[in-house]
Amino acid sequence: MFDLVWLIPLCPLIGSVINGLLGKKIKNETVIGAIAAGSVFASFMVACGILFQLLSLPGEERVIQKTIFTWIQSGTFKADIGFLIDPLSATMLMIVTGIGFLIHLYSIGYMHGEEGFYRYFCYLNLFTFSMLCLVSGNNLLLMFIGWEGVGLCSYLLIGYYFHKKSAGDAGKKAFVMNRVGDFGFLLGLFTLFYYLGTNHNVWTINFVELAKNADLLVPGAVVTTVCLCFFLGATGKSAQIPLYTWLPDAMEGPTPVSALIHAATMVTAGVYMIARMNFIFIKSPTALLVIACVGAATALFAATIGTAQNDIKRVLAYSTVSQLGYMFLAMGVGAFTAGVFHLMTHAFFKACLFLGSGSVIHGMHHALHHEHSEADPQDMRNMGGLRKKMPITFMTFLLATIAIAGIPGFAGFFSKDEILWQAFANPHHHAVNYVLWGAGAVAAGLTAFYMFRLVFMTFFGETRLSEKAFHHLHESPWVITVPLVCLATLSVFGGWIGVPKVLGEVLGEMPNYFEHWLEPVFAYSTHYTEAHGAHGIHSVALEWGLMGTSVLIACGGIGLAYALYIVAPGFPEKFTSTFPALHRAVYNKWYVDEIYDFAFVNPCKAFGNFLWKGFDVLVVDGAVNGVAAVVRGFSGILRYVQTGFVHNYAFTMVFGVALIVAVYIFR
């Protein structure tokens, strides 16, 4: 199966080309959807075959490269179109193709009747192709091609409803902010390439060769610069402070697009990139500290904003920003396995949550349409009591919410608890660990609160729809509910492959399968940490204590949401009226967008207007128009020479001859 790895990205690309070129003529939605979803399913089957074949090999042999052809060659430097097959890339391939297929299947029902149905699936397939290139490429240049590809596709899909100004603006915002991050990625790539080449004559960007030469990377300013440049790229692609503001606005795209961006593709790219290059990042304590602090701050900051949002998709968007913060917190404390594990479990429950919100919006839109109401189908204040009409959507959404809240037994508990433990016990940041753990724990409590606030406002209590609209509310079709059931099942059971050691000992010496699976990928970082005498905290009692504390914090958040939105539903309104300034600040996202507009956007616009009106119009156009005016003036004078009368020309000739004769006579 390893020889067929090239089919994994190729299948979605073929689907994209077919629908892009012929979709408008095909017209049949079933055929278009089957081509798009079928191409991703084919990739998923090949990925499954590769996974099983990889599992059959010993751990030390689970690194395979397959070169398709040489792309660029200059002297000793060579960049291939090639694929790297190892436990990390196999995991990512399964996530992207598996969840990607479910989202494609869901989209067939959700996008039914949409104008540009074929265009949507063309973009969606292209998005999947780009992400598959990113996670399977065996060198930095091929990764960057996928990196740029997902950026382009996010622009196309976020701005899918391009006739809406808000959608167009959101697409441009995502595109521009990601270009800032991409600039950092390129700086890191060029610096790393130049440093290894000029100092050690190692001209390579191949991941396997970089890992083999990791000892040549001496800790210091250059390595830290490389890491921070790459991390700047990650903050853009994975929506971390300060480049996170594009992701909440990405809600302007169709809901399945949000699920694909948030769960299986674009925003996980930065986490994957750091995990792939862990052998470089582990050598820069400064870069690790920056990553950990930014991750913890983002997790907490985004969680506070999520507590006051009323748009169901916007709550989930800030939840994604916060959960990505957890992943970067894990990367920053050297817990690369825990970060990738949370990436996987988050993909399960976040895809379920977004697709569940899409099911709710689908039902609300249908109900409000029958009433001819202009009410917003995404505003939770217009919902309530939906569990009675949408039982499958409700149950799957509830299970995914329990998972993200970190309740024991569900997928999110295992990965989030491991990150919090590593944040406290890691050997890299010493006293800062307490702050990192505290930020993560508070963010966990806020997550539980705002997610159950969403559940209670949407599915519980009395409906805030009219009787007529509520009567027309119904469960979504099977093409929407089947993916929800699959993802909810993964949200419940998907974490049991990564049971923490202390918990595994209680469960009959149950091993941490996921940690053992990824061990070859992060072996260098583990050995490097141990070789440099870095030792974290090893206390079973303390780990149990912190685990219990995080669970209690999560339960406290759930209890608070229950008290405020079920027991005393009038209290939140009293609170906001008592503290209006605080509520406005949180509701308006701490005015970060306004600050960015004032500090960056408006000055850039003003500078652009100056270049247009002050330089282009006055200088460039002035110079061109000035030359034209001079030529026009001379020609206006000289045109009198051309009169059209023969006697004038004869007189001029005689006068000229007389003048010449006079010059010769009197000189």
Side-chain angles (χ1 to χ4, degrees), residues 306-492:
T307 60
Q309 303 305 307
N310 296 313
D311 185 306
I312 187 171
K313 288 174 65 177
R314 196 166 290 276
V315 173
L316 296 177
Y318 279 104
S319 167
T320 298
V321 176
S322 181
Q323 296 302 307
L324 287 165
Y326 276 106
M327 298 176 208
F328 281 100
L329 172 59
M331 296 294 158
V333 299
F336 301 108
T337 300
V340 176
F341 188 32
H342 195 57
L343 184 157
M344 183 185 75
T345 60
H346 176 263
F348 299 154
F349 53 70
K350 186 51 62 69
C352 185
L353 290 169
F354 262 111
L355 297 186
S357 73
S359 179
V360 169
I361 295 167
H362 182 269
M364 286 286 295
H365 181 79
H366 176 78
L368 293 171
H369 175 73
H370 277 276
E371 196 188 23
H372 304 290
S373 172
E374 297 295 327
D376 186 357
Q378 297 182 196
D379 194 326
M380 297 184 295
R381 293 170 295 186
N382 298 327
M383 302 177 190
L386 268 59
R387 74 184 191 280
K388 302 170 186 176
K389 292 284 190 174
M390 309 182 75
I392 298 176
T393 299
F394 162 66
M395 186 53 64
T396 54
F397 200 98
L398 178 63
L399 292 173
T401 302
I402 295 172
I404 195 175
I407 300 303
F410 289 76
F413 163 75
F414 297 105
S415 56
K416 187 181 292 185
D417 181 75
E418 183 66 17
I419 291 174
L420 289 175
W421 167 245
Q422 293 293 341
F424 189 91
N426 77 87
H428 300 287
H429 307 312
H430 311 296
V432 181
N433 289 348
Y434 306 127
V435 178
L436 297 176
W437 181 88
V442 174
L446 291 172
T447 300
F449 169 75
Y450 67 68
M451 286 305 304
F452 272 88
R453 170 182 176 266
L454 186 159
V455 170
F456 294 144
M457 289 182 68
T458 303
F459 296 102
F460 286 81
E462 294 298 322
T463 183
R464 290 175 287 280
L465 290 168
S466 68
E467 184 177 346
K468 180 181 179 181
F470 192 68
H471 174 73
H472 285 285
L473 194 67
H474 59 78
E475 183 61 272
S476 299
W478 71 268
V479 74
I480 288 178
T481 56
V482 167
L484 290 177
V485 172
C486 295
L487 291 166
T489 303
L490 290 170
S491 299
V492 176

Side-chain angles (χ1 to χ4, degrees), residues 61-360:
E61 297 179 13
R62 291 175 179 169
V63 179
I64 296 97
Q65 291 195 85
K66 290 295 177 181
T67 300
I68 308 304
F69 60 86
T70 298
W71 181 18
I72 302 170
Q73 185 158 10
S74 177
T76 58
F77 169 72
K78 185 174 74 168
D80 298 320
I81 297 295
F83 300 95
L84 174 59
I85 305 170
D86 69 352
L88 179 59
S89 62
T91 301
M92 294 301 297
L93 289 174
M94 291 295 293
I95 293 171
V96 176
T97 57
I99 295 179
F101 165 68
L102 293 175
I103 293 172
H104 277 72
L105 181 64
Y106 176 100
S107 295
I108 296 173
Y110 189 87
M111 299 297 290
H112 171 65
E114 284 279 355
E115 185 180 356
F117 187 85
Y118 75 95
R119 176 169 57 89
Y120 169 83
F121 278 103
C122 170
Y123 294 162
L124 209 63
N125 271 171
L126 188 62
F127 202 169
T128 306
F129 159 75
S130 299
M131 189 64 189
L132 290 171
C133 287
L134 192 156
V135 300
S136 62
N138 70 346
N139 62 76
L140 277 165
L141 203 54
L142 190 54
M143 173 187 275
F144 186 71
I145 296 298
W147 190 274
E148 290 299 295
V150 294
L152 170 64
C153 294
S154 67
Y155 165 75
L156 296 172
L157 287 166
I158 293 168
Y160 175 78
Y161 299 114
F162 55 84
H163 55 277
K164 293 170 53 182
K165 184 178 185 303
S166 58
D169 290 344
K172 288 183 287 186
K173 185 176 183 179
F175 191 80
V176 171
M177 294 197 80
N178 273 275
R179 298 294 73 73
V180 176
D182 295 350
F183 178 68
F185 186 104
L186 283 175
L187 283 179
L189 191 159
F190 293 147
T191 305
L192 176 64
F193 179 71
Y194 180 79
Y195 175 78
L196 284 176
T198 56
N199 290 281
H200 305 288
N201 200 32
V202 178
W203 301 96
T204 184
I205 52 174
N206 181 280
F207 291 124
V208 175
E209 294 176 7
L210 287 172
K212 287 180 180 178
N213 291 283
D215 288 332
L216 300 177
L217 296 167
V218 180
V222 174
V223 172
T224 298
T225 300
V226 169
C227 293
L228 291 178
C229 286
F230 277 119
F231 178 58
L232 176 60
T235 59
K237 202 65 68 184
S238 296
Q240 295 295 284
I241 293 174
L243 300 178
Y244 73 94
T245 57
W246 68 269
L247 189 57
D249 289 353
M251 299 302 97
E252 291 290 341
T255 302
V257 171
S258 301
L260 193 62
I261 291 176
H262 288 247
T265 56
M266 184 169 173
V267 297
T268 62
V271 180
Y272 168 78
M273 181 265 290
I274 294 178
R276 172 59 67 199
M277 303 181 68
N278 65 90
F279 50 85
I280 299 177
F281 282 87
I282 198 64
K283 293 197 167 189
S284 176
T286 302
L288 289 180
L289 180 60
V290 170
I291 294 169
C293 290
V294 169
T298 304
L300 181 57
F301 185 75
T304 62
I305 299 175
T307 60
Q309 303 305 307
N310 296 313
D311 185 306
I312 187 171
K313 288 174 65 177
R314 196 166 290 276
V315 173
L316 296 177
Y318 279 104
S319 167
T320 298
V321 176
S322 181
Q323 296 302 307
L324 287 165
Y326 276 106
M327 298 176 208
F328 281 100
L329 172 59
M331 296 294 158
V333 299
F336 301 108
T337 300
V340 176
F341 188 32
H342 195 57
L343 184 157
M344 183 185 75
T345 60
H346 176 263
F348 299 154
F349 53 70
K350 186 51 62 69
C352 185
L353 290 169
F354 262 111
L355 297 186
S357 73
S359 179
V360 169

Side-chain angles (χ1 to χ4, degrees), residues 518-533:
L518 290 179
E519 196 171 9
V521 180
F522 304 124
Y524 182 89
S525 295
T526 303
H527 297 326
Y528 182 86
T529 302
E530 293 173 352
H532 286 74

Side-chain angles (χ1 to χ4, degrees), residues 541-553:
L542 181 59
E543 186 169 356
W544 276 109
L546 293 176
M547 186 186 300
T549 302
S550 66
V551 172
L552 287 175
I553 291 173

